[in-house]
Amino acid sequence: SISKAYRYYLYRKATDMRNSFDGLSGLVTNEFLQNPLSGDVFVFINKRKNQIKLLNWQGDGFAIFFKRLERGTYELPEINCDSLSYEITSQQLLLINEGIRLSSVRKRVRYQRIHVGK
């Protein structure tokens, strides 16, 4: 399940969905420049944007969530950076997976505690 307990990283390039555990973990190592055994969730979407894979190390092995849409596409958030991957929130991933138009979503103001270092 998608939870705030995880960090989610979205790969910006189209991914060949024939990649499985080893291929996706290789992308995490070589393209994300991260450790696939970190416990973070890595998100991949194909060129047609109708398939999504999530890769996650669960302590004793990798798990993959794979979904193919029969109609429609996934909408990705617009990010202004040159990195091949970027962190998204669990809420953004839920919206992407549910097919909600990201450009129309407006988050209401909430209290956020600011940590001040000593």
Side-chain angles (χ1 to χ4, degrees):
S1 67
I2 297 173
S3 162
K4 288 184 177 183
Y6 295 105
R7 291 188 309 176
Y8 299 90
Y9 293 95
L10 180 63
Y11 187 53
R12 292 181 65 152
K13 288 185 175 179
T15 304
D16 183 348
M17 288 297 143
R18 294 175 291 183
N19 281 331
S20 190
F21 301 101
D22 295 331
L24 295 176
S25 62
L27 283 174
V28 171
T29 301
N30 298 322
E31 300 284 333
F32 286 65
L33 303 177
Q34 293 194 33
N35 182 358
L37 305 178
S38 66
D40 296 331
V41 179
F42 302 96
V43 181
F44 304 91
I45 296 181
N46 68 335
K47 186 176 183 176
R48 291 177 32 202
K49 296 183 182 173
N50 68 339
Q51 296 178 19
I52 189 170
K53 276 190 179 181
L54 281 62
L55 177 71
N56 175 243
W57 175 257
Q58 297 189 337
D60 60 351
F62 283 109
I64 289 180
F65 170 80
F66 181 41
K67 183 175 181 179
R68 182 189 71 197
L69 298 176
E70 293 301 317
R71 266 179 102 176
T73 59
Y74 292 106
E75 180 184 351
L76 304 180
E78 290 186 27
I79 302 294
N80 297 327
C81 71
D82 293 331
S83 176
L84 289 178
S85 69
Y86 54 90
E87 189 171 359
I88 60 173
T89 66
S90 57
Q91 292 91 357
Q92 285 175 308
L93 183 55
L94 281 169
L95 295 173
I96 290 168
N97 196 42
E98 291 299 318
I100 296 171
R101 184 177 301 276
L102 299 176
S103 60
S104 67
V105 174
R106 297 215 162 109
K107 188 173 180 179
R108 298 180 68 89
V109 176
R110 296 285 186 257
Y111 172 79
Q112 184 175 6
R113 183 174 176 212
I114 298 172
H115 299 282
V116 179
K118 291 184 177 182

